[in-house]
Short mmCIF file of all heavy atoms in Angstrom, two decimals:
data_model
loop_
_atom_site.label_atom_id
_atom_site.label_comp_id
_atom_site.label_asym_id
_atom_site.label_seq_id
_atom_site.Cartn_x
_atom_site.Cartn_y
_atom_site.Cartn_z
N PRO A 353 -12.35 21.58 -1.53
CA PRO A 353 -12.92 21.20 -2.86
C PRO A 353 -11.83 21.32 -3.98
O PRO A 353 -10.90 22.14 -3.90
CB PRO A 353 -14.04 22.22 -3.14
CG PRO A 353 -14.55 22.56 -1.76
CD PRO A 353 -13.25 22.58 -0.89
N GLY A 354 -11.76 20.35 -4.80
CA GLY A 354 -10.85 20.30 -5.94
C GLY A 354 -9.50 19.87 -5.50
O GLY A 354 -8.53 19.91 -6.14
N TYR A 355 -9.40 19.19 -4.33
CA TYR A 355 -8.22 18.66 -3.74
C TYR A 355 -7.16 19.77 -3.49
O TYR A 355 -5.99 19.57 -3.64
CB TYR A 355 -7.62 17.49 -4.61
CG TYR A 355 -8.22 16.18 -4.41
CD1 TYR A 355 -9.56 16.02 -4.92
CD2 TYR A 355 -7.67 15.13 -3.76
CE1 TYR A 355 -10.17 14.70 -4.72
CE2 TYR A 355 -8.22 13.92 -3.58
CZ TYR A 355 -9.56 13.68 -4.01
OH TYR A 355 -10.17 12.52 -3.81
N ALA A 356 -7.73 20.92 -3.05
CA ALA A 356 -6.84 21.94 -2.63
C ALA A 356 -6.57 21.75 -1.15
O ALA A 356 -6.95 22.55 -0.27
CB ALA A 356 -7.58 23.32 -2.89
N ASP A 357 -5.87 20.60 -0.83
CA ASP A 357 -5.61 20.18 0.50
C ASP A 357 -4.72 21.14 1.31
O ASP A 357 -3.82 21.63 0.55
CB ASP A 357 -5.02 18.68 0.57
CG ASP A 357 -6.06 17.68 0.09
OD1 ASP A 357 -7.21 18.04 -0.33
OD2 ASP A 357 -5.68 16.55 0.07
N VAL A 358 -4.81 21.21 2.54
CA VAL A 358 -4.02 22.00 3.41
C VAL A 358 -3.48 21.05 4.50
O VAL A 358 -4.22 20.42 5.22
CB VAL A 358 -4.79 23.15 4.00
CG1 VAL A 358 -3.91 23.95 4.94
CG2 VAL A 358 -5.22 24.10 2.97
N ILE A 359 -2.17 21.02 4.68
CA ILE A 359 -1.53 20.27 5.81
C ILE A 359 -1.48 21.30 6.94
O ILE A 359 -0.68 22.28 6.77
CB ILE A 359 -0.20 19.68 5.42
CG1 ILE A 359 -0.43 18.71 4.16
CG2 ILE A 359 0.37 18.89 6.62
CD1 ILE A 359 0.89 18.31 3.55
N GLY A 360 -1.94 21.06 8.03
CA GLY A 360 -1.90 21.90 9.21
C GLY A 360 -1.50 21.11 10.48
O GLY A 360 -1.25 19.84 10.49
N LEU A 361 -1.62 21.81 11.59
CA LEU A 361 -1.41 21.24 12.91
C LEU A 361 -2.58 20.46 13.36
O LEU A 361 -3.75 20.82 13.01
CB LEU A 361 -1.00 22.35 13.91
CG LEU A 361 0.28 23.05 13.62
CD1 LEU A 361 0.43 24.14 14.63
CD2 LEU A 361 1.46 22.09 13.50
N ALA A 362 -2.37 19.37 14.09
CA ALA A 362 -3.45 18.55 14.51
C ALA A 362 -4.53 19.23 15.30
O ALA A 362 -5.72 18.80 15.29
CB ALA A 362 -2.88 17.33 15.42
N ASP A 363 -4.08 20.20 15.99
CA ASP A 363 -5.19 20.93 16.90
C ASP A 363 -5.61 22.25 16.40
O ASP A 363 -6.33 23.02 17.11
CB ASP A 363 -4.56 21.20 18.27
CG ASP A 363 -3.25 21.99 18.37
OD1 ASP A 363 -2.83 22.29 17.22
OD2 ASP A 363 -2.77 22.19 19.30
N GLU A 364 -5.30 22.57 15.13
CA GLU A 364 -5.97 23.82 14.59
C GLU A 364 -7.24 23.66 13.88
O GLU A 364 -7.64 22.53 13.52
CB GLU A 364 -4.89 24.48 13.54
CG GLU A 364 -4.73 23.77 12.21
CD GLU A 364 -3.90 24.64 11.36
OE1 GLU A 364 -2.59 24.31 11.27
OE2 GLU A 364 -4.40 25.41 10.48
N GLN A 365 -7.97 24.67 13.78
CA GLN A 365 -9.30 24.66 13.27
C GLN A 365 -9.20 24.46 11.77
O GLN A 365 -8.36 25.08 11.11
CB GLN A 365 -10.09 25.95 13.59
CG GLN A 365 -10.41 26.12 15.04
CD GLN A 365 -11.35 25.00 15.53
OE1 GLN A 365 -12.32 24.65 14.91
NE2 GLN A 365 -11.02 24.31 16.60
N PRO A 366 -10.11 23.80 11.10
CA PRO A 366 -10.04 23.49 9.68
C PRO A 366 -10.51 24.81 8.96
O PRO A 366 -11.22 25.64 9.56
CB PRO A 366 -11.16 22.37 9.51
CG PRO A 366 -12.01 22.44 10.60
CD PRO A 366 -11.20 22.84 11.83
N PRO A 367 -10.10 24.94 7.77
CA PRO A 367 -10.60 25.99 7.00
C PRO A 367 -12.13 25.92 6.88
O PRO A 367 -12.72 24.76 6.96
CB PRO A 367 -9.97 25.82 5.56
CG PRO A 367 -8.75 25.06 5.86
CD PRO A 367 -9.14 24.14 7.02
N ASP A 368 -12.79 26.96 6.52
CA ASP A 368 -14.38 26.94 6.40
C ASP A 368 -14.84 25.89 5.43
O ASP A 368 -15.77 25.20 5.59
CB ASP A 368 -14.85 28.32 6.02
CG ASP A 368 -14.70 29.36 7.18
OD1 ASP A 368 -14.48 28.96 8.22
OD2 ASP A 368 -14.64 30.52 6.75
N ASP A 369 -14.05 25.74 4.34
CA ASP A 369 -14.40 24.77 3.27
C ASP A 369 -13.63 23.39 3.32
O ASP A 369 -13.64 22.68 2.45
CB ASP A 369 -14.27 25.38 1.90
CG ASP A 369 -12.90 25.86 1.60
OD1 ASP A 369 -12.08 25.79 2.54
OD2 ASP A 369 -12.67 26.23 0.42
N GLY A 370 -12.95 23.20 4.47
CA GLY A 370 -12.08 22.01 4.63
C GLY A 370 -12.72 20.99 5.63
O GLY A 370 -13.31 21.36 6.59
N ARG A 371 -12.37 19.70 5.41
CA ARG A 371 -12.71 18.63 6.36
C ARG A 371 -11.48 17.82 6.75
O ARG A 371 -10.65 17.54 5.90
CB ARG A 371 -13.82 17.78 5.78
CG ARG A 371 -13.51 16.89 4.68
CD ARG A 371 -14.54 16.16 4.12
NE ARG A 371 -14.20 15.11 3.15
CZ ARG A 371 -14.13 15.24 1.94
NH1 ARG A 371 -14.23 16.48 1.45
NH2 ARG A 371 -13.81 14.16 1.07
N PRO A 372 -11.33 17.49 8.02
CA PRO A 372 -10.16 16.73 8.42
C PRO A 372 -10.17 15.24 7.89
O PRO A 372 -11.31 14.69 7.84
CB PRO A 372 -10.20 16.79 9.92
CG PRO A 372 -11.66 17.03 10.30
CD PRO A 372 -12.14 17.81 9.14
N LEU A 373 -9.10 14.74 7.55
CA LEU A 373 -8.98 13.51 6.98
C LEU A 373 -8.48 12.43 7.92
O LEU A 373 -8.90 11.21 7.90
CB LEU A 373 -8.08 13.42 5.73
CG LEU A 373 -8.43 14.28 4.59
CD1 LEU A 373 -7.51 13.93 3.32
CD2 LEU A 373 -9.85 14.03 4.15
N LEU A 374 -7.66 12.71 8.90
CA LEU A 374 -7.09 11.71 9.84
C LEU A 374 -8.08 11.57 10.96
O LEU A 374 -8.56 12.57 11.51
CB LEU A 374 -5.70 12.21 10.42
CG LEU A 374 -4.51 11.93 9.57
CD1 LEU A 374 -4.33 12.97 8.48
CD2 LEU A 374 -3.22 11.81 10.37
N GLU A 375 -8.34 10.39 11.23
CA GLU A 375 -9.24 9.94 12.30
C GLU A 375 -8.58 9.21 13.40
O GLU A 375 -7.67 8.48 13.17
CB GLU A 375 -10.48 9.21 11.67
CG GLU A 375 -11.19 9.82 10.69
CD GLU A 375 -12.21 8.92 9.94
OE1 GLU A 375 -12.25 7.68 10.37
OE2 GLU A 375 -12.81 9.20 8.96
N THR A 376 -9.03 9.29 14.57
CA THR A 376 -8.41 8.53 15.76
C THR A 376 -8.97 7.13 15.57
O THR A 376 -10.16 6.87 15.68
CB THR A 376 -8.78 9.08 17.10
OG1 THR A 376 -8.31 10.44 17.23
CG2 THR A 376 -8.29 8.15 18.28
N VAL A 377 -8.13 6.21 15.32
CA VAL A 377 -8.51 4.73 15.07
C VAL A 377 -8.00 3.90 16.23
O VAL A 377 -8.43 2.72 16.25
CB VAL A 377 -8.09 4.28 13.73
CG1 VAL A 377 -8.66 5.05 12.57
CG2 VAL A 377 -6.50 4.44 13.54
N MET A 378 -7.09 4.35 17.06
CA MET A 378 -6.60 3.52 18.12
C MET A 378 -6.32 4.46 19.31
O MET A 378 -5.74 5.53 19.11
CB MET A 378 -5.30 2.74 17.70
CG MET A 378 -4.78 1.84 18.71
SD MET A 378 -3.46 0.81 18.14
CE MET A 378 -4.37 -0.54 17.44
N ARG A 379 -6.72 4.07 20.48
CA ARG A 379 -6.48 4.81 21.76
C ARG A 379 -6.06 3.77 22.83
O ARG A 379 -6.77 2.80 23.02
CB ARG A 379 -7.73 5.70 22.13
CG ARG A 379 -7.47 6.60 23.23
CD ARG A 379 -8.64 7.44 23.63
NE ARG A 379 -8.97 8.37 22.59
CZ ARG A 379 -9.99 8.38 21.82
NH1 ARG A 379 -10.86 7.50 21.84
NH2 ARG A 379 -10.09 9.39 20.88
N GLY A 380 -4.99 4.11 23.42
CA GLY A 380 -4.55 3.22 24.52
C GLY A 380 -4.15 1.69 24.01
O GLY A 380 -4.24 0.76 24.80
N GLY A 381 -3.73 1.71 22.84
CA GLY A 381 -3.35 0.44 22.24
C GLY A 381 -4.51 -0.51 21.79
O GLY A 381 -4.23 -1.53 21.37
N ARG A 382 -5.70 0.03 21.74
CA ARG A 382 -6.87 -0.59 21.39
C ARG A 382 -7.61 0.17 20.25
O ARG A 382 -7.70 1.43 20.34
CB ARG A 382 -7.80 -0.93 22.57
CG ARG A 382 -7.20 -1.75 23.63
CD ARG A 382 -6.91 -3.27 23.06
NE ARG A 382 -6.27 -4.04 24.02
CZ ARG A 382 -4.94 -4.30 24.13
NH1 ARG A 382 -4.19 -3.65 23.17
NH2 ARG A 382 -4.44 -5.03 25.07
N ARG A 383 -8.10 -0.56 19.36
CA ARG A 383 -9.03 0.09 18.27
C ARG A 383 -10.15 0.81 18.89
O ARG A 383 -10.72 0.41 19.97
CB ARG A 383 -9.62 -1.00 17.34
CG ARG A 383 -8.55 -1.58 16.38
CD ARG A 383 -9.22 -2.66 15.50
NE ARG A 383 -8.26 -3.31 14.59
CZ ARG A 383 -8.17 -2.82 13.30
NH1 ARG A 383 -8.82 -1.92 12.87
NH2 ARG A 383 -7.28 -3.52 12.47
N THR A 384 -10.51 1.93 18.26
CA THR A 384 -11.66 2.74 18.73
C THR A 384 -13.00 2.22 18.21
O THR A 384 -14.07 2.78 18.65
CB THR A 384 -11.43 4.16 18.41
OG1 THR A 384 -11.28 4.33 17.05
CG2 THR A 384 -10.20 4.87 19.16
N GLY A 385 -12.88 1.48 17.20
CA GLY A 385 -14.22 0.93 16.65
C GLY A 385 -13.85 -0.34 15.93
O GLY A 385 -12.80 -0.91 15.88
N ASP A 386 -14.93 -0.92 15.17
CA ASP A 386 -14.79 -2.13 14.36
C ASP A 386 -13.92 -1.86 13.18
O ASP A 386 -13.90 -0.71 12.75
CB ASP A 386 -16.17 -2.68 13.99
CG ASP A 386 -16.87 -3.09 15.21
OD1 ASP A 386 -16.38 -3.49 16.34
OD2 ASP A 386 -18.15 -3.01 15.13
N LYS A 387 -13.33 -2.90 12.65
CA LYS A 387 -12.65 -2.78 11.41
C LYS A 387 -13.69 -2.30 10.26
O LYS A 387 -14.73 -2.89 10.22
CB LYS A 387 -12.08 -4.14 10.95
CG LYS A 387 -10.85 -4.59 11.72
CD LYS A 387 -10.23 -5.84 11.13
CE LYS A 387 -9.18 -6.30 11.91
NZ LYS A 387 -8.53 -7.58 11.19
N PRO A 388 -13.21 -1.49 9.43
CA PRO A 388 -14.16 -1.08 8.27
C PRO A 388 -14.29 -2.24 7.34
O PRO A 388 -13.39 -3.07 7.13
CB PRO A 388 -13.49 0.06 7.64
CG PRO A 388 -11.97 -0.05 8.01
CD PRO A 388 -11.94 -0.69 9.31
#
Side-chain angles (χ1 to χ4, degrees):
Y355 279 73
D357 291 4
V358 177
I359 305 172
L361 297 176
D363 58 358
E364 72 175 87
Q365 291 297 309
D368 290 340
D369 57 351
R371 67 183 192 275
L373 298 189
L374 279 82
E375 306 171 359
T376 299
V377 293
M378 180 171 279
R379 187 176 288 114
R382 297 292 177 264
R383 287 175 180 265
T384 56
D386 295 332
K387 289 186 182 182

